[in-house]
Amino acid sequence: MAEITRVEPADFDWADEDGPAAVVRRVDRACRATDGAPQLNEQATLGLKRRGLAGAALWLAGDAGFALRHGDQLDLAVAPDERGRGAGTALATAALAGMSKVDAWSHADHPAAARLADRFGVPRARELRIMELPAEVPLPQVAAPAGVVVRTFRPGDEEAVLEVNAAAFAHHPEQGGL
């Protein structure tokens, strides 16, 4: 297993072709290809692109994986060909040291992520379901109830759309404050 190193903010530049940012991108791409999901959500990726490690901490297990902590959020990924060799445990140990609360995402609901979460006492709070349908699949015809008009979005609808979204997702941790 590779040695765990904490990356200094000055050593991280998202645009670098090699170095810490390149490792993060390579591991993310490999995991995405194998698991079908990115290991960094949009918020984390944009943060790294725009602010580097400002307000974040990054640990690397050589080229085998990374742990990114931003606030109480943890993103941890191990390259598929490096899994089962202890890198995930070592990264979690380093990244979770001194933390009393953490929200960790398993972007592909990988069984190894569940085992790490259990080992480190990180409870499963919820599951994210992505519901999608390819655009080429025809939708069945549906009749609108009497008095309901279905139309496309028009300028001026913004407030009503936000009201409906807020009501539909009032219970949701990421959307409830909209």
Side-chain angles (χ1 to χ4, degrees):
M1 185 195 61
E3 180 182 336
I4 304 302
T5 57
R6 184 166 176 171
V7 177
E8 293 297 323
D11 295 332
F12 187 90
D13 182 343
W14 185 258
D16 282 350
E17 292 298 317
D18 40 348
V23 171
V24 170
R25 291 192 311 272
R26 276 194 305 272
V27 170
D28 182 53
R29 279 193 308 270
C31 292
R32 184 185 306 232
T34 299
D35 304 330
Q39 300 306 298
L40 292 172
N41 64 23
E42 183 180 32
Q43 176 186 358
T45 302
L46 289 174
L48 290 173
K49 285 180 180 179
R50 294 181 179 156
R51 294 183 307 280
L53 294 180
L58 176 68
W59 291 264
L60 297 179
D63 289 334
F66 66 85
L68 173 68
R69 193 173 75 201
H70 40 110
D72 62 357
Q73 301 284 316
L74 176 65
D75 292 293
L76 188 151
V78 176
D81 59 347
E82 297 289 338
R83 292 176 179 163
R85 299 179 188 173
T89 299
L91 285 164
T93 299
L96 294 173
M99 292 198 68
S100 59
K101 177 191 178 296
V102 67
D103 288 327
W105 289 85
S106 175
H107 297 281
D109 201 18
H110 197 279
R115 287 191 300 274
L116 275 175
D118 285 345
R119 181 179 298 158
F120 286 91
V122 178
R124 180 180 291 251
R126 65 181 178 279
E127 292 181 41
L128 176 64
R129 301 289 184 184
I130 299 174
M131 298 181 289
E132 60 188 3
L133 184 67
E136 61 273 4
V137 174
L139 296 175
Q141 292 294 322
V142 177
V148 173
V149 176
V150 178
R151 63 172 173 77
T152 60
F153 176 86
R154 292 191 292 228
D157 289 345
E158 295 88 353
E159 189 173 324
V161 168
L162 289 175
E163 285 178 26
V164 169
N165 188 81
F169 295 103
H171 67 286
H172 197 278
E174 283 91 31
Q175 297 255 336
L178 284 178

